[in-house]
Amino acid sequence: QVPLVESGGGSVQPGGSLTLVCVPSEPTFVIYSSYVIGWWRQRPGKEREFVSGIHWRLNKKYYSESVKGRFTISRSAADNAVALQMDALEPEDTARYYCAANPDGRLSYYDESQYRYWGQGTQVTVSS
């Protein structure tokens, strides 16, 4: 069973919004204070790319240039969840979005190889 579960994907018109949510699949999965929870995406025919991340303890947020100003990441310690609010969506945002956990991501949040735990992803389609 995958350790993380994503939800909130779907189809939306350009300019629309979606909110993705990531939670552990089991209550025994602990998000430690040093973790960075990241969102990655894989667009058709492209390699997986970093979208956004958040440091669990520091609440420091990271964004790729392509989504900065349009996407907002947040976390809820009470719910053990990370959300990605996506506004002003563009057709180029069409991708499968994955949630992943990096056990010590403060300096490596952009390095896919450092993410140890992954979800199965959720599809986002932006089309008119």
Side-chain angles (χ1 to χ4, degrees):
Q1 187 171 1
V2 294
L4 300 170
V5 178
E6 306 92 340
S7 62
S11 296
V12 65
Q13 292 187 338
S17 299
L18 284 173
T19 300
L20 306 183
V21 177
C22 171
V23 296
S25 60
E26 296 287 343
T28 54
F29 183 90
V30 177
I31 301 178
Y32 291 98
S33 60
S34 64
Y35 277 33
V36 165
I37 305 299
W39 286 97
W40 292 71
R41 69 184 181 187
Q42 187 162 21
R43 294 185 277 186
K46 304 286 187 180
E47 294 187 351
R48 193 154 53 185
E49 61 180 348
F50 174 79
V51 175
S52 182
I54 188 165
H55 191 283
W56 196 252
R57 178 177 63 85
L58 299 175
N59 201 30
K60 186 171 177 61
K61 302 170 184 181
Y62 313 99
Y63 297 97
S64 68
E65 286 300 318
S66 61
V67 307
K68 195 175 292 184
R70 300 187 298 121
F71 292 10
T72 303
I73 193 169
S74 62
R75 62 134 170 82
S76 168
D79 298 328
N80 222 24
V82 172
L84 184 68
Q85 173 71 35
M86 306 187 296
D87 297 317
L89 283 162
E90 303 167 353
E92 294 72 25
D93 295 315
T94 294
R96 190 162 186 86
Y97 285 73
Y98 297 87
C99 173
N102 181 336
D104 188 11
R106 186 171 60 88
L107 299 179
S108 63
Y109 61 88
Y110 52 85
D111 185 348
E112 185 178 357
S113 68
Q114 298 302 308
Y115 284 79
R116 188 179 302 174
Y117 308 103
W118 290 82
Q120 289 187 325
T122 185
Q123 180 67 33
V124 171
T125 302
V126 185
S127 173
S128 56

